[in-house]
Amino acid sequence: MILPTKHLSKERSIIGVGGEVLLILNKPMTISSLWNNIKESRKRIYGNSFLSFDWFILSLDFLFMLNLIEFKSGKIDKVKK
Amino acid sequence: MLDTLSLSWYKAKVEAKFYRFRREEFQSWFSDIMERAYPSDFHKIRLSKGDRGCDGYRISTQTVYQVYAPRKASPSELNGKIIDDFNKAIVEFEGKISSWVFVHNDPDGLASETVIDTLGDLNKNNPTISIITNSFNEIWDVVKSLDRTNMLDLFGEAPTLLDMRNLQLEAIVPVLKYIEGREVPSDPPIDPPSEEKLKFNNLSNDIQEMLKLGRRKEILVENYFANVLDPLYGERIAQAFREKYCNLKATDLTEDEIFDELRRFTGGDYFCGTKELSATLAVLSYFFERCDIFENLVYQ
């Protein structure tokens, strides 16, 4: 589920959704804002958003485990290097 | 008149039953086909011990049918059975036997000693009686001659080329839901599909044609998996097919028999509508092309 497979496209894999989150996260955002933004982005790019909320949360968990995002003062932001 | 897809579908079903059935089940199935093909002419003989060397009789041609589909038989047992049953038949049907047909379902054919010695000797010693064997090809010829009502009764509906051309997503969904429900694998294999995979797996021409026709519509399956809300749905279905194929491969079924079992796993005997039956071919083709079922070509 993290990586794409024969039956799971890259844009629906956890790593694919995580990549989209990083592209959208250009400033600290609440989870609701980030969720709305990624849905809008996917509608623009793929013509649909077909992304469930729990899958979106799994991608955030994945980015958090890789120390790419952090949760501070109620908002999500990229980890500053 | 049946088109090529329907014919291939029926032939695959006939072949699967022909090689799967044994003993009384095979005899009963054969008799059912013959009674439908030759109503009031072919008569099956009661299934019991002491059948007097005859399992079926066709009045117009004075043909005695002896059906033999044991689970296992050595050549000597087979030869003994042929001689014994023939001798019983010529006594029982004295003056009313012009042909004697030995019906068998051995996928490897009869042993040479059976053909040359046993049947050869019977032919030589009984010049007035035509002694022949019937196996799959002969039974398939009889099945092909049946009218649509009898085909439906025996084998159900079959998809047509028109069904396949008109196949839409609405028919794919119930087929996928039918086979849903396995755990997601931790590390699914990824191999490129092979152009020669069909031939490499020794699948019959009819099954190859069905898979090729199904391939035209597998984009519907791909689009469904790409857009369904649960991203892991495709992997779950794929894993169900992988596990089923592995279990079948571990038995002594032939590749065509494995395909028939997978066809049934996909709902080929469950669904009655021709649209859904066409969808089963699209689903099978989708997983075949993505190397979830059947063997992949080994490159040297």
Side-chain angles (χ1 to χ4, degrees), chain B residues 4-286:
Chain B
T4 53
L5 175 56
S6 297
L7 269 177
S8 296
W9 180 274
Y10 279 132
K11 190 175 179 186
K13 285 189 105 169
V14 172
E15 197 168 14
K17 287 178 192 272
F18 180 82
Y19 290 117
R20 186 169 64 235
F21 288 160
R22 289 283 176 260
R23 301 173 69 175
E24 290 83 11
E25 195 174 22
F26 181 81
Q27 187 181 335
S28 183
W29 180 71
F30 171 78
S31 297
D32 194 7
I33 291 171
M34 295 296 280
E35 281 179 328
R36 290 169 187 271
Y38 309 113
S40 304
D41 188 15
F42 176 90
H43 298 269
K44 70 178 172 187
I45 305 301
R46 187 176 302 143
L47 295 168
S48 62
K49 286 196 176 166
D51 57 17
R52 302 184 294 184
C54 174
D55 293 318
Y57 185 73
R58 192 173 166 200
I59 298 171
S60 64
T61 57
Q62 295 191 326
T63 303
V64 171
Y65 291 87
Q66 182 59 42
V67 181
Y68 194 55
R71 290 198 177 84
K72 271 184 187 173
S74 64
S76 60
E77 282 170 338
L78 179 60
N79 295 339
K81 167 92 179 148
I82 289 174
I83 294 169
D84 191 42
D85 285 343
F86 179 81
N87 288 335
K88 281 183 195 169
I90 56 172
V91 166
E92 190 63 38
F93 292 89
E94 186 184 0
K96 293 177 188 167
I97 173 171
S98 299
S99 300
W100 188 83
V101 180
F102 184 72
V103 183
H104 74 93
N105 67 347
D106 189 333
D108 298 322
L110 299 174
S112 56
E113 64 198 79
T114 302
V115 175
I116 298 168
D117 297 333
T118 306
L119 291 171
D121 286 346
L122 284 178
N123 259 304
K124 196 169 69 176
N125 298 332
N126 298 275
T128 60
I129 300 174
S130 170
I131 297 168
I132 57 176
T133 59
N134 271 190
S135 192
F136 175 74
N137 287 336
E138 288 76 18
I139 290 182
W140 171 236
D141 281 343
V142 174
V143 170
K144 272 192 297 185
S145 72
L146 294 173
D147 60 28
R148 180 167 162 72
T149 303
N150 280 312
M151 288 291 258
L152 284 176
D153 275 349
L154 283 169
F155 305 110
E157 284 280 6
T160 64
L161 289 170
L162 188 62
D163 289 320
M164 191 55 85
R165 244 191 325 268
N166 295 335
L167 184 64
Q168 298 296 324
L169 186 62
E170 64 190 8
I172 298 277
V173 173
V175 172
L176 291 173
K177 284 188 187 306
Y178 176 81
I179 53 181
E180 186 182 357
R182 294 282 178 148
E183 292 301 317
V184 176
S186 58
D187 190 16
I190 299 176
D191 292 301
S194 164
E195 293 290 328
E196 301 298 324
K197 193 177 169 186
L198 281 169
K199 293 194 177 108
F200 182 71
N201 279 279
N202 290 322
L203 292 165
S204 68
N205 290 338
D206 296 291
I207 290 174
Q208 288 189 38
E209 279 312 303
M210 285 197 278
L211 284 171
K212 283 177 192 170
L213 284 167
R215 190 167 188 196
R216 294 181 195 175
K217 290 290 185 171
E218 60 176 56
I219 188 68
L220 294 174
V221 183
E222 186 173 311
N223 288 344
Y224 181 75
F225 286 145
N227 295 312
V228 72
L229 194 58
D230 180 358
L232 297 179
Y233 187 65
E235 269 307 326
R236 278 208 300 281
I237 304 291
Q239 178 62 4
F241 270 102
R242 284 193 285 266
E243 286 184 9
K244 183 67 180 175
Y245 176 71
C246 282
N247 290 338
L248 292 170
K249 191 71 184 161
T251 66
D252 58 0
L253 294 175
T254 65
E255 282 76 10
D256 282 3
E257 286 169 331
I258 290 175
F259 176 84
D260 190 66
E261 288 297 321
L262 288 172
R263 185 192 59 78
R264 292 164 75 188
F265 180 71
T266 315
D269 283 354
Y270 171 79
F271 294 103
C272 302
T274 55
K275 285 183 201 171
E276 286 77 15
L277 293 176
S278 302
T280 62
L281 292 181
V283 171
L284 279 167
S285 178
Y286 173 86

Side-chain angles (χ1 to χ4, degrees), chain A:
Chain A
M1 62 196 267
I2 295 176
L3 295 174
T5 68
K6 283 184 285 182
H7 310 290
L8 178 65
S9 61
K10 60 183 184 306
E11 57 267 18
R12 302 191 88 195
S13 62
I14 294 290
I15 198 169
V17 175
E20 283 180 58
V21 166
L22 290 176
L23 281 174
I24 289 169
L25 205 54
N26 48 17
K27 62 177 182 183
M29 291 184 192
T30 61
I31 289 186
S32 325
S33 298
L34 187 54
W35 169 235
N36 288 333
N37 285 337
I38 197 167
K39 281 195 296 181
E40 286 302 314
S41 168
R42 287 175 75 88
K43 265 189 200 157
R44 272 197 313 274
I45 300 171
Y46 306 118
N48 63 72
S49 75
F50 289 123
L51 175 68
S52 63
F53 186 71
D54 54 349
W55 204 250
F56 163 68
I57 293 298
L58 282 174
S59 70
L60 294 184
D61 292 340
F62 175 68
L63 293 174
F64 184 79
M65 282 192 290
L66 293 179
N67 201 32
L68 293 174
I69 61 172
E70 58 186 356
F71 189 67
K72 262 189 186 173
S73 307
K75 289 187 180 177
I76 292 180
D77 195 8
K78 286 181 188 171
V79 168
K80 303 286 186 288
K81 293 202 177 162

